[in-house]
Amino acid sequence: GALDGTHIRVSLPLDEQIRYVGRSGTPTQNVLAVCDFDMRFTYVSTDQSGAMHDTSVLYHVLRVDKDVFPHAPQGKYYIVDVGYPNRPGYLAPYKGERYHIPEFHPKP
């Protein structure tokens, strides 16, 4: 399975925008989604501001939705990107390692 987040642009009144402005400079909502091993969405969280880091969103979800969050089965892992920590059930790439290099592409 996989777990990742994305930013969705939001339209808010001016007095509410500041907490939703992240690196992009525009107000966004940080949406976290989980797909199971059959590539079906099993969980989506849409209530975090765009200024929150992916790790903070994950820990918030694990605390607030602990009864409904679909943890990876014992001995299995969710593939996550570098914005998430390596921990039991979550497999992130090694920091500083380049994985998208031409040697991984088949030669014509």
Side-chain angles (χ1 to χ4, degrees), residues 10-98:
V10 293
S11 188
L12 298 165
L14 285 175
D15 61 329
E16 295 179 29
Q17 287 185 10
I18 191 68
R19 79 180 202 100
Y20 287 85
V21 176
R23 292 183 311 171
S24 68
T26 59
T28 62
Q29 195 169 23
N30 198 333
V31 176
L32 180 133
V34 176
C35 288
D36 67 10
F37 299 98
D38 294 319
M39 300 307 294
R40 294 177 296 199
F41 285 102
T42 59
Y43 179 84
V44 176
S45 171
T46 61
D47 61 345
Q48 302 305 310
S49 75
M52 284 187 77
H53 188 274
D54 290 345
T55 301
S56 298
V57 172
L58 176 62
Y59 287 146
H60 171 80
V61 163
L62 292 175
R63 186 181 72 253
V64 172
D65 285 346
K66 63 183 172 194
D67 295 333
V68 296
F69 185 81
H71 294 281
Q74 185 71 26
K76 303 285 185 177
Y77 294 86
Y78 285 132
I79 302 297
V80 298
D81 67 25
V82 74
Y84 298 95
N86 269 320
R87 54 176 280 159
Y90 301 86
L91 185 60
Y94 289 109
K95 291 185 186 216
E97 186 66 34
R98 291 182 51 152

